[in-house]
Amino acid sequence: MKLKQLKVRPKKLLDSSPCLVEMGSLFECWATSGVDDKRCVVASKALSECMTKPVTKSNRQNTINYHLARLSKHL
């Protein structure tokens, strides 16, 4: 049995938001003490600081197709 070409489609993983923790703490503060409460200012400032930071994406490539191409020579 000879296979012509082996390929795998990479899974598309959803990245979580980098400011998810800050947003959760702000929503929790709003839920416990109200939207216009002055105690939520710290959480609001932390979220706004996080949102102003640039997002860095790591560009990891999946090497499975490379290894499958090498393996197909031996099959």
Side-chain angles (χ1 to χ4, degrees), residues 7 11 14 17 37 39 43 63 67-68:
K7 276 200 173 181
K11 291 182 180 179
L14 297 176
S17 173
D37 196 3
R39 291 179 282 185
T63 60
H67 293 294
L68 286 174

Side-chain angles (χ1 to χ4, degrees), residues 18 53 60 63:
K53 292 180 186 175
R60 292 186 350 210
T63 60

Side-chain angles (χ1 to χ4, degrees), residues 36-54:
D36 295 327
D37 196 3
K38 297 199 187 275
R39 291 179 282 185
C40 299
V41 172
V42 175
S44 175
K45 284 184 181 179
L47 179 62
S48 64
E49 286 176 9
C50 182
M51 296 294 270
T52 58
K53 292 180 186 175

Side-chain angles (χ1 to χ4, degrees), residues 21-31 34 40-45 47:
V21 175
E22 288 84 357
M23 189 180 304
S25 66
L26 181 63
F27 287 156
E28 182 181 351
C29 183
W30 283 348
C40 299
V41 172
V42 175
S44 175
K45 284 184 181 179
L47 179 62

